Amino acid sequence: MTTWTRKDLLGLRDLSKEELELILETAESFKEISLRPIKKVPALRGKTVVNFFFEASTRTRTSFEISAKRLSADIINISSPTTSVIKGESLLDTVRNLLSLKVDIVIIRHSDSGAPQLIADRFPDVSVINAGDGSHEHPTQALLDLYTIKEKKGTVAGLNIAIVGDIMHSRVARSNIWGMTRLGANVTVVGPRTLIPADIDKTGVRVETNLSRGIKDADVIYMLRIQNERLKSNLFPSIREYARMYGLNGVRLKGAKKDVIIMHPGPINRGVEISSEVADGPYSVILDQVTNGLAVRMAVLFLVAGVKKSVKELEEE
Amino acid sequence: MPGLYARKVTAVEILLRNGHLVDPVNNVDGVCDILIKDGLIEKVGKEIVSAGAQVVDLAGKHVFPGLIDMHVHLREPGREDEETIASGTRSAAKGGFTSVCCMPNTLPVIDNSETVEFIYAKAKKEGVVNVFPAGAITKGEEGKELAEIGDLRDAGVVAVSDDGKSVPDANLMRRAMEYAGMFGLPVLSHCEDVALSKNGVMHEGYYSTVLGLAGIPAASEEVTVARDLILSEKTGTHLHVCHVSTAGSVALIRDALAKGVKVSAETAPHYFTLTDEAMQPYDANFKMNPPLRSDNDRQAIIEGLRDGTLGVIATDHAPHADYEKEQEISYAPFGIVGLETAVGLAVAELVEKKVITVKDLVIRMSVNPAKILGLAGRGQLGQGAAADVTVVDLNKEWVVDKTKFESKSRNTPFNGRKLKGEVWMTIVGGDVVFKDGKIL
């Protein structure tokens, strides 16, 4: 079996199929912990983890925090308004100070693509986990998505997956494209031409601008959040027209496969990219994604911390 | 004024012996001797004898009319922490440049005669090579009102430019070209439509998509090149397109030249050496404007250099402090230093790979810049020309070590890269300013 050798998890682009499978298998062994009355194992006892969020986030930050606590790590949260970042200190200086406190793992969310790598490249003694950087990658989100697909469909290989919405600005889309294609899925990205980034087809995906055509034969429909601020850049004329052309509702869904699953990274905009009927309906696995986020993030923390023992071995100690 | 020497001319006679002189203007390409006296070329020929002269044997080395970098940011006045006229000209001397044209985006902007006079005075006092300033096209480079170009010309600017920015208003650009043309000044245009480049930080393409960085489309350069070519055609004023980076720009300029438009164009070594793929480590030392483009663009740039569409190689030397570059990509400033790596890159990437001949290299790095900027007595080494000489060991391989730079800044994408062709000696106005690795 593959062993984990990376100090950091910055994205899925560089991960091999075996590494992806290792994370998903490790997550599998952690999932059950959250179902116990005492939801804790001593895997990361004595490790210090910092949740370093330069951008607003509730679910990802909370998910990492609970994951780290269930592994018995000490975790602290820092969000940008409470750091010196706004006082003009550079990112590297902020991290330098933080690392003087002998931290083992830094989880970073940042609005700038590449910020986690900037830190990872310069600090050899700390593991960096990317919790979403700009429009670059959001690897743990994609991993929990892959985990959920595998859980529901048994496999990722051979599935038809449509990712719908603002592909241009989406780190979730990018990480999922790398992960899904590496595990053998056929991925179609769907959205208005103005939200499809340059040369995206070179990543191995198919591009479709029509929603009905894009989701036909799909086993998985992955809806992305549309952000109001994109309106200011004239990327589409109105929320109304976007919802009409790219919103997923019950009528549209009739054209999809009978056993399709609907996914969304959250937070959802009801009535915009997804109707309540679909979000809360039988095909939706949106809340399963959130639950699986714990197992996947526990697995990632466990692997980058360099703990080579299995959960079973730890419990026998 | 144009023609000022950077330093007091030493009265010593120098005899350069046995070097291979490449002087396209005077049709010389072979081994000969050069006698320098009182800062000028006294004589060029076979086996010159001069009793009092200091003799330098240049057997095995190539001798060029002093190289001229027509696109340099010296940062003084205003950002002396990044570069000064003293450090920037030392960097130029080490890189084999005997003259530099400095861009006006300083603090304050070179949009008035006092600042021009300051630069000439500072260069005379502390400069190691000749410094010829470009004046701003618009006041404060704000793109709103014409600068006093007549005054700037009288103070000694050799061109006008709002470099770092385009003149966004087409009508203002038209008037600037009409007005500058009256004085025979070339207009150096940084071509960029900022509505298209917006908050972009790298070339728009596969790698900007993969890295999730905002893209600068090739079109942002090309629409402005097209606009300025049309304005040059209408006004008859010499347009010089700065730092050409895209295949589309090369094609537009090639067509305009065929039509007889009075246009010249430069590119920089990084555009014929690197592509957008280099941005992958998110290292801001690969961030410049215009950005590193696709490999298709890079090949078109090389073709443009081969056929002469791109007649000039300039560095766009843009020093920045380490702490400014060591930031998130969107916060880091655009620009890289280039003076000390230009010759090695041009020889390794163009001459060694048989894209252009050594003679063409001299044309692109000395003859044409002198012609465009109207630097009389430079770009050639005929009798009576300024004794600005660059001596290069074309066969010498060397590795870039940014810690050894004379520039105050270290923001190079080429650190650790093996280059070919090393500058051995630089003579400015008959004064040996750099020799065998040392500034004198």
Side-chain angles (χ1 to χ4, degrees), chain A residues 13 91-92 110 112-115 117-118 121-122 135-136 174 178 197-200 202-203 233, chain B residues 198 204-213 280-283 323 325-331:
Chain A
R13 185 180 170 213
L91 176 64
L92 290 179
H110 199 289
D112 270 79
S113 301
Q117 186 169 337
L118 185 71
D121 286 350
R122 279 165 183 78
S135 308
H136 176 225
R174 284 172 179 75
W178 301 124
D199 295 335
I200 189 75
K202 289 186 185 162
T203 62
S233 314
Chain B
K198 250 187 137 181
E204 181 183 287
Y206 174 73
Y207 289 102
S208 66
T209 291
V210 163
L211 297 174
L213 291 171
Q280 289 192 89
Y282 290 101
D283 181 346
Y323 66 86
K325 280 291 196 181
E326 284 213 318
Q327 292 194 84
E328 298 90 315
I329 291 291
S330 65
Y331 297 155

Side-chain angles (χ1 to χ4, degrees), chain B residues 127-320:
Chain B
V128 179
V129 307
N130 305 306
V131 176
F132 299 103
I137 296 171
T138 66
K139 288 186 182 126
E141 283 202 0
E142 283 174 2
K144 296 200 178 93
E145 297 169 69
L146 278 181
E148 292 178 331
I149 295 173
D151 242 29
L152 288 166
R153 197 279 311 259
D154 289 346
V157 302
V158 293
V160 289
S161 179
D162 267 6
D163 186 66
K165 295 177 190 167
S166 254
V167 176
D169 179 325
N171 184 49
L172 180 53
M173 187 62 170
R174 172 204 167 168
R175 298 303 181 205
M177 290 179 84
E178 287 173 341
Y179 198 79
M182 205 163 67
F183 306 108
L185 289 173
V187 175
L188 320 180
S189 182
H190 167 119
C191 293
E192 177 186 9
D193 185 325
V194 293
L196 280 166
S197 54
K198 250 187 137 181
N199 57 343
V201 296
M202 70 173 291
H203 175 62
E204 181 183 287
Y206 174 73
Y207 289 102
S208 66
T209 291
V210 163
L211 297 174
L213 291 171
I216 301 174
S220 81
E221 176 174 313
E222 292 156 5
V223 297
T224 309
V225 169
R227 180 198 76 173
D228 288 355
L229 287 169
I230 291 165
L231 293 174
S232 171
E233 189 179 4
K234 303 290 183 209
T235 60
T237 293
H238 182 163
L239 169 73
H240 177 80
V241 183
C242 298
H243 42 56
V244 172
S245 72
T246 78
S249 297
V250 175
L252 286 163
I253 295 162
R254 185 178 287 128
D255 289 350
L257 282 165
K259 269 166 67 183
V261 177
K262 206 171 167 191
V263 58
S264 56
E266 76 194 26
T267 192
H270 39 282
Y271 301 119
F272 61 70
T273 309
L274 301 171
T275 65
D276 57 345
E277 190 180 355
M279 273 297 270
Q280 289 192 89
Y282 290 101
D283 181 346
N285 285 321
F286 293 86
K287 179 185 176 186
M288 71 288 289
N289 188 17
L292 297 173
R293 299 288 186 182
S294 70
D295 196 53
N296 179 50
D297 291 305
R298 188 183 70 89
Q299 286 175 30
I301 294 293
I302 289 173
E303 195 45 44
L305 282 162
R306 190 201 307 272
D307 72 10
T309 302
L310 303 174
V312 174
I313 297 168
T315 67
D316 196 2
H317 180 82
H320 289 292

Side-chain angles (χ1 to χ4, degrees), chain A:
Chain A
M1 196 173 135
T2 317
T3 53
W4 186 261
T5 54
R6 294 173 188 268
K7 173 172 86 74
D8 314 297
L9 178 69
L10 302 177
L12 298 194
R13 185 180 170 213
D14 295 333
L15 297 197
S16 66
K17 182 167 175 266
E18 290 70 28
E19 286 174 302
L20 290 171
E21 282 167 351
L22 173 64
I23 299 171
L24 298 179
E25 281 158 22
T26 309
E28 184 67 42
S29 65
F30 279 121
K31 179 150 184 181
E32 172 265 336
I33 292 166
S34 295
L35 304 173
R36 299 178 189 175
I38 308 292
K39 303 177 177 61
K40 220 175 177 94
V41 289
L44 294 190
R45 191 165 54 200
K47 299 279 183 189
T48 306
V49 180
V50 176
N51 236 349
F52 208 173
F53 277 60
F54 290 87
E55 197 181 64
S57 159
T58 309
R59 80 190 57 210
T60 304
R61 189 182 56 71
T62 310
S63 180
F64 267 114
E65 185 173 353
I66 294 175
S67 301
K69 285 181 170 164
R70 290 193 178 159
L71 294 173
S72 307
D74 297 310
I75 180 159
I76 57 160
N77 289 298
I78 304 175
S79 52
S80 64
T82 61
T83 70
S84 45
V85 174
I86 48 165
K87 295 175 197 155
E89 188 180 46
S90 78
L91 176 64
L92 290 179
D93 281 334
T94 305
V95 174
R96 254 175 220 125
N97 278 280
L98 190 65
L99 296 190
S100 302
L101 304 172
K102 306 301 172 201
V103 166
D104 300 293
I105 299 173
V106 173
I107 297 159
I108 178 168
R109 157 73 62 96
H110 199 289
S111 57
D112 270 79
S113 301
Q117 186 169 337
L118 185 71
I119 296 168
D121 286 350
R122 279 165 183 78
F123 301 103
D125 299 329
V126 70
S127 288
V128 176
I129 297 173
N130 181 2
D133 63 328
S135 308
H136 176 225
E137 287 226 37
H138 192 351
T140 57
Q141 174 69 46
L143 286 164
L144 72 87
D145 295 334
L146 292 170
Y147 186 93
T148 305
I149 293 170
K150 233 178 154 178
E151 188 178 67
K152 304 293 172 190
K153 296 284 182 186
T155 178
V156 176
L159 295 180
N160 296 322
I161 303 177
I163 304 176
V164 182
D166 182 0
I167 311 297
M168 171 106 75
H169 301 94
S170 177
R171 52 194 174 212
V172 172
R174 284 172 179 75
S175 287
N176 265 308
I177 286 169
W178 301 124
M180 289 167 177
T181 54
R182 196 133 306 151
L183 294 185
N186 309 308
V187 179
T188 303
V189 295
V190 187
R193 175 81 188 272
T194 45
L195 293 175
I196 304 285
D199 295 335
I200 189 75
D201 54 312
K202 289 186 185 162
T203 62
V205 301
R206 196 168 69 90
V207 177
E208 180 58 73
T209 55
N210 176 286
L211 180 62
S212 297
R213 279 204 302 271
I215 62 174
K216 191 173 171 289
D217 300 325
D219 298 292
V220 178
I221 303 175
Y222 197 106
M223 302 304 293
L224 296 170
R225 178 180 168 78
I226 196 77
Q227 307 216 329
N228 277 319
E229 58 255 41
R230 304 301 169 215
L231 264 176
K232 290 180 216 134
S233 314
N234 276 318
L235 291 165
F236 53 90
S238 66
I239 291 290
R240 178 182 166 276
E241 179 154 311
Y242 183 86
R244 195 173 65 77
M245 294 183 69
Y246 295 99
L248 192 62
N249 54 37
V251 178
R252 281 253 162 68
L253 205 53
K254 284 194 180 122
K257 276 192 174 173
K258 294 298 158 222
D259 60 346
V260 69
I261 58 170
I262 310 298
M263 303 178 75
H264 193 298
I268 61 172
N269 289 310
R270 289 178 187 267
V272 182
E273 73 267 1
I274 192 163
S275 69
S276 288
E277 172 192 15
V278 173
D280 305 330
Y283 305 108
S284 170
V285 298
I286 295 172
L287 294 176
D288 299 276
Q289 290 172 265
V290 179
T291 305
N292 289 335
L294 289 175
V296 163
R297 292 189 170 109
M298 285 165 83
V300 169
L301 284 163
F302 179 78
L303 290 170
V304 300
V307 183
K308 305 281 190 265
K309 291 171 189 162
S310 70
V311 178
K312 199 162 162 256
E313 285 171 315
L314 278 165
E315 287 185 323
E316 280 164 4
E317 275 177 10

